[in-house]
Structures are given as C-alpha cells and as structure tokens.
C-alpha cells in the first residue's frame, strides 16, 4: 500500500504557499499508475495554483515494485539516508532468501530514474555500473581534456541505450553506443563474474561508481 501526506510548499516563483502531496512510499502493486508518475517525475512535481509555475520537489521516499522485485529508497538528505539504511537492513532481513530482489539507495532523481531504466530493461545495475566506469576511462584516455563529472545510462531519441558522459567544466557531453560498444561485454561480465558480483554486492545498498572501482580493485588483485 502506498502512503503519502500533505505539506505546505512555498512556490520559488511567486512566494505563495499551497498544499503538496508528499509520497512517503509508493507500492506499484496496489497503485500501478504510480509507475509512470514516478518515471515522469510527475509524482514529485509541484503545480503552483497561484502562478502556474512547475518545479520538481526532492524529498525522501521509498519506491517498491513487488512484481518487478525492485525496491529503491531515494534519500534526499541526512535524515533520509539514516532512514534508508534502516529500511535496507530490514529489507535484507526479510528478503535474505530472495537473491533476485534489487534493493538500492539513491541520492538523486537522476540516479533513481537510471536504476528504474536498468530494471525495466531486465539488466543488472551492478554490471552497468562497471561498464559506465569502463566507458569513462576509455573516453578520458582518448580525450585527455575531457573530465567526466556525470555518467548516465539513458535512451537516446531513437530509443537506443547509450552511456552519456558530461563534463560540467566545459559544458561538453559525449555519448557511447551501448549496443555497439558494451552489450557483448555485458554478457561476458555476467557469465565470468557472477560469483564475484554476488560477493562484492552483498549487503551493499549503494551501487555506483565508487562501488565499481572497489569491485575492480578486488577482482583484479
């Protein structure tokens, strides 16, 4: 069951307040329509009734897709991080026999949407994290002046998966075609490192670049 409460939110445009629905948790099994609302960020978008301004409000919440075996906690602040860590430990206790379940903590909507995109595609976010790291290292080796400040697994306008790298310092971006460059390597990593992936991600709620670096350091010893 999904849970929400309402808060008074101040519009950053006109400065007036209005009631805003804050989702504490979203269960897509009971509220299937929330799948699209979360992915479009409509669930987090304030529509000011006074001036019409729209903006996305970041807050702590739990996304749970029981059918897809996905649980993601969006921790927007320090309190959210503490709550997320507690929720993760509880989930691991309950789901200790459900190895197929994906339980993650993220700290931005970009990270959340990426996790959902990966899950929707039936891919493993741990392997995608490794491939993103490899793409980043390859790009920076080829273009030494490019310094990656953001790296995301997204779909382009044609619906193809790409690894999108951003250099905020120069406002430049580079795309790496996932299918052409990494789809085959994905299968290789999945087959050859399945045991290592399980061992290195056990009881680890955050799968990101830092985890990918740690994983490679561990398996390459």
């Amino acid at each position: 069951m999904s849970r929400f409460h309402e808060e008074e939110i101040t519009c950053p445009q006109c400065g007036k307040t209005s009631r805003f629905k804050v989702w504490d948790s979203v269960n897509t099994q009971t509220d299937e329509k929330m799948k699209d609302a979360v992915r479009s960020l409509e669930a987090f978008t304030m529509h000011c009734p006074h001036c019409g301004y729209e903006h996305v409000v970041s807050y702590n919440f739990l996304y749970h897709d029981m059918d897809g075996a996905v649980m993601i906690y969006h921790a927007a602040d320090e309190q959210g991080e503490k709550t997320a860590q507690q929720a993760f430990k509880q989930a691991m206790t309950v789901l200790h026999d459900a190895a197929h379940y994906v339980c993650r903590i993220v700290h931005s909507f970009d990270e959340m949407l990426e996790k959902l995109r990966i899950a929707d595609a039936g891919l493993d976010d741990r392997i995608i994290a490794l491939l993103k790291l490899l793409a980043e290292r390859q790009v920076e080796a080829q273009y030494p002046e490019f310094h990656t400040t953001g790296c995301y697994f997204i779909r382009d306008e044609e619906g193809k998966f790409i690894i999108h790298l951003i250099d905020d310092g120069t406002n430049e971006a580079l795309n790496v075609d996932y299918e052409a460059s990494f789809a085959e390597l994905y299968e290789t990593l999945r087959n050859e490192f399945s045991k290592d992936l399980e061992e290195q991600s056990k009881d680890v709620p955050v799968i990101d670049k830092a985890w990918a670096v740690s994983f490679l350091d561990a398996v390459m010893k």
Side-chain angles (χ1 to χ4, degrees):
M1 181 178 179
S2 299
R3 295 183 312 217
F4 67 86
H5 68 278
E6 292 191 347
E7 294 183 6
E8 288 286 337
I9 299 292
T10 300
C11 174
Q13 183 72 15
C14 68
K16 295 182 179 180
T17 61
S18 60
R19 300 294 290 176
F20 179 69
K21 182 182 289 187
V22 175
W23 292 93
D24 301 297
S25 65
V26 168
N27 186 326
T28 61
Q29 190 174 60
T30 57
D31 293 288
E32 188 173 358
K33 64 181 181 180
M34 289 302 294
K35 278 189 175 183
D36 291 335
V38 167
R39 285 160 174 75
S40 68
L41 298 184
E42 178 61 29
F44 318 104
T45 301
M46 173 191 175
H47 302 270
C48 180
H50 306 289
C51 69
Y53 185 73
E54 298 180 1
H55 74 107
V56 176
V57 181
S58 180
Y59 57 82
N60 305 312
F61 88 102
L62 174 67
Y63 176 90
H64 192 187
D65 179 355
M66 298 177 70
D67 295 325
V70 174
M71 184 182 293
I72 300 174
Y73 196 100
H74 178 261
D77 53 31
E78 185 176 346
Q79 182 56 50
E81 180 69 24
K82 293 179 180 178
T83 302
Q85 292 289 346
Q86 292 173 353
F88 179 81
K89 290 179 181 179
Q90 292 174 354
M92 289 299 96
T93 300
V94 175
L95 302 171
H96 66 281
D97 291 327
H100 66 289
Y101 232 93
V102 176
C103 298
R104 301 288 185 258
I105 296 174
V106 298
H107 303 96
S108 72
F109 284 136
D110 283 337
E111 291 179 28
M112 178 194 73
L113 293 177
E114 181 181 70
K115 295 296 183 186
L116 293 175
R117 193 176 300 119
I118 293 169
D120 290 346
L123 299 172
D124 189 322
D125 69 320
R126 299 168 301 180
I127 301 178
I128 295 299
L130 293 171
L131 295 177
K132 286 169 54 181
L133 177 60
L134 293 176
E136 180 178 330
R137 289 179 174 179
Q138 288 179 7
V139 165
E140 293 188 349
Q142 186 174 358
Y143 305 100
E145 71 282 1
F146 190 93
H147 301 289
T148 305
T149 55
C151 182
Y152 300 97
F153 183 75
I154 65 174
R155 286 187 185 273
D156 63 13
E157 295 179 352
E158 298 177 355
K160 297 190 304 181
F161 283 122
I162 61 173
I163 296 178
H164 183 66
L165 300 99
I166 303 169
D167 182 344
D168 286 336
T170 60
N171 293 319
E172 293 183 350
L174 291 172
N175 293 328
V176 178
D177 188 316
Y178 168 77
E179 289 293 337
S181 302
F182 292 114
E184 185 174 344
L185 181 56
Y186 176 97
E187 296 300 329
T188 299
L189 292 174
R190 184 176 67 171
N191 294 329
E192 296 187 7
F193 292 97
S194 58
K195 183 178 179 180
D196 294 301
L197 286 168
E198 293 303 321
E199 291 178 351
Q200 296 298 322
S201 63
K202 184 179 180 181
D203 298 331
V204 177
V206 179
I207 301 297
D208 56 7
K209 179 180 177 179
W211 175 87
V213 171
S214 176
F215 177 89
L216 291 180
D217 287 344
V219 299
M220 294 303 177
K221 285 183 180 178

